[in-house]
Amino acid sequence: MAIVLCILKWIGIILACIIGLAILLLAAILFVPVRYRVEGSYGEETNASFCIHWLCHIVQLKKKNQDAKIRFTVFGIPIRKKQEKKHRKTKPQKEKSTESSVTKQLEPVAKESMDGESVKQKAPAHQKSETKRKKKEKRKKRFSFSGISSIIKFVREQATKDTIRMLKGEAVLTLKHILPRKVTGYVRFGTGDPASTGIILGIVSLFPFSYQKGVTIVPDFEEAVCEARGKAKGRVRVFPLLRIIWRVYRNQELRKLIKRYDQLKEAI
């Protein structure tokens, strides 16, 4: 009896450890942010690099420069696809075997293609004209002024406007969460014409990023030049995104709107 109780005790400890590790992993996925960093330059040297990492660089996806390949690492160990390894090993053998097989398969394929062409040529021309006429009739049936007026009425309803306003608000929250929190950069531009350079500068000044701390925009009114370099850092948590998706999914007004749209689509 004591041995059975001891075995059950150790089984319970092992199960508790497994459940605890699963809960910790789930909490890490939901609450530990995925951080990203993007760097780039344009001008005399054009480079681009990025790094996306999670949980103190345990899982990492990065690209160092423009010519380097994208690397995916776990605990610093690069992970490659098995298909690429198999392709590298079997590539020379496949080339030798396929050269002889391709020549054998050309003759039946050519015969089948000739037979297919002859069958297509035998198809009468009046069938094609009938199908075109049926398509035109379907399009004419779909188009109606009553359908257009019902769509306009559907768009102008207060419930539709409220639902669209809700979706806009959730989209803005999503963008605020995803967009980088810190941006630094330097931009020097010029078209060679002071008038057009001034117009571009006025358009750029309308956007809030041009006034952000760490961003420097230098117009050149004498030379035609375009130079830029910048860095951006941000983070993304899974839990806030899931909350937004859940709110949108559980919204009753949105569900009613989709049902009404489907009914309207069938009526038109």
Side-chain angles (χ1 to χ4, degrees):
M1 189 68 181
I3 296 170
V4 174
L5 292 174
C6 185
I7 292 168
L8 291 173
K9 177 183 176 182
W10 282 106
I11 291 171
I13 291 168
I14 292 167
L15 288 174
C17 291
I18 293 169
I19 293 168
L21 288 173
I23 292 169
L24 284 174
L25 182 61
L26 181 62
I29 291 169
L30 290 176
F31 298 105
V32 176
V34 177
R35 301 180 185 273
Y36 64 88
R37 183 181 71 254
V38 182
E39 297 181 13
S41 63
Y42 178 81
E44 295 179 357
E45 294 182 358
T46 302
N47 292 317
S49 63
F50 67 87
C51 180
I52 303 169
H53 58 91
W54 177 69
L55 205 64
C56 300
H57 294 268
I58 291 175
V59 181
Q60 190 169 243
L61 182 70
K62 63 180 179 180
K63 180 178 177 294
K64 288 186 178 179
N65 52 51
Q66 192 175 9
D67 299 327
K69 295 181 180 180
I70 297 172
R71 297 181 61 192
F72 178 69
T73 60
V74 178
F75 290 101
I77 301 168
I79 295 174
R80 297 178 182 177
K81 293 182 180 179
K82 293 182 180 178
Q83 295 178 357
E84 293 179 358
K85 294 179 181 179
K86 290 180 180 178
H87 182 69
R88 289 176 184 176
K89 292 179 181 179
T90 59
K91 189 175 180 181
Q93 296 176 359
K94 286 182 180 179
E95 288 178 354
K96 291 179 182 178
S97 60
T98 51
E99 285 178 359
S100 59
S101 62
V102 168
T103 55
K104 293 179 181 178
Q105 292 176 359
L106 282 174
E107 293 181 357
V109 171
K111 289 180 181 178
E112 289 177 0
S113 63
M114 292 296 290
D115 295 334
E117 288 178 358
S118 62
V119 171
K120 287 180 181 178
Q121 288 177 359
K122 289 180 182 178
H126 65 85
Q127 289 183 359
K128 294 180 180 179
S129 62
E130 286 181 0
T131 53
K132 287 181 181 179
R133 183 174 55 80
K134 288 178 181 179
K135 287 180 180 179
K136 288 180 181 180
E137 287 178 356
K138 285 181 180 180
R139 288 176 183 175
K140 287 180 181 179
K141 287 179 180 179
R142 286 178 183 177
F143 180 79
S144 62
F145 290 102
S146 61
I148 293 170
S149 62
S150 59
I151 290 170
I152 293 169
K153 184 179 178 182
F154 173 75
V155 172
R156 288 182 176 178
E157 287 180 357
Q158 189 63 37
T160 307
K161 292 179 180 178
D162 293 338
T163 306
I164 292 170
R165 194 179 296 111
M166 180 272 297
L167 292 174
K168 283 182 180 179
E170 298 294 347
V172 169
L173 288 175
T174 305
L175 286 174
K176 284 182 179 179
H177 184 70
I178 292 173
L179 288 176
R181 297 174 177 269
K182 186 178 180 181
V183 179
T184 58
Y186 171 82
V187 180
R188 179 172 169 260
F189 71 94
T191 61
D193 182 15
S196 59
T197 303
I199 291 168
I200 294 170
L201 180 62
I203 293 169
V204 171
S205 63
L206 295 174
F207 295 94
F209 71 86
S210 59
Y211 303 103
Q212 191 169 354
K213 187 178 179 181
V215 177
T216 305
I217 298 173
V218 180
D220 194 330
F221 295 97
E222 295 179 358
E223 297 180 2
V225 65
C226 183
E227 297 177 358
R229 61 177 181 271
K231 297 179 183 179
K233 293 181 181 180
R235 62 183 182 183
V236 179
R237 284 192 178 93
V238 175
F239 184 70
L241 295 178
L242 289 177
R243 284 180 62 189
I244 292 169
I245 293 167
W246 180 252
R247 284 200 301 266
V248 173
Y249 176 75
R250 294 292 297 173
N251 190 279
Q252 297 296 328
E253 296 297 327
L254 180 61
R255 291 187 176 186
K256 291 178 183 177
L257 192 70
I258 293 169
K259 287 181 181 178
R260 290 186 58 199
Y261 175 74
D262 291 336
Q263 292 173 359
L264 183 65
K265 195 175 177 181
E266 291 176 358
I268 294 172

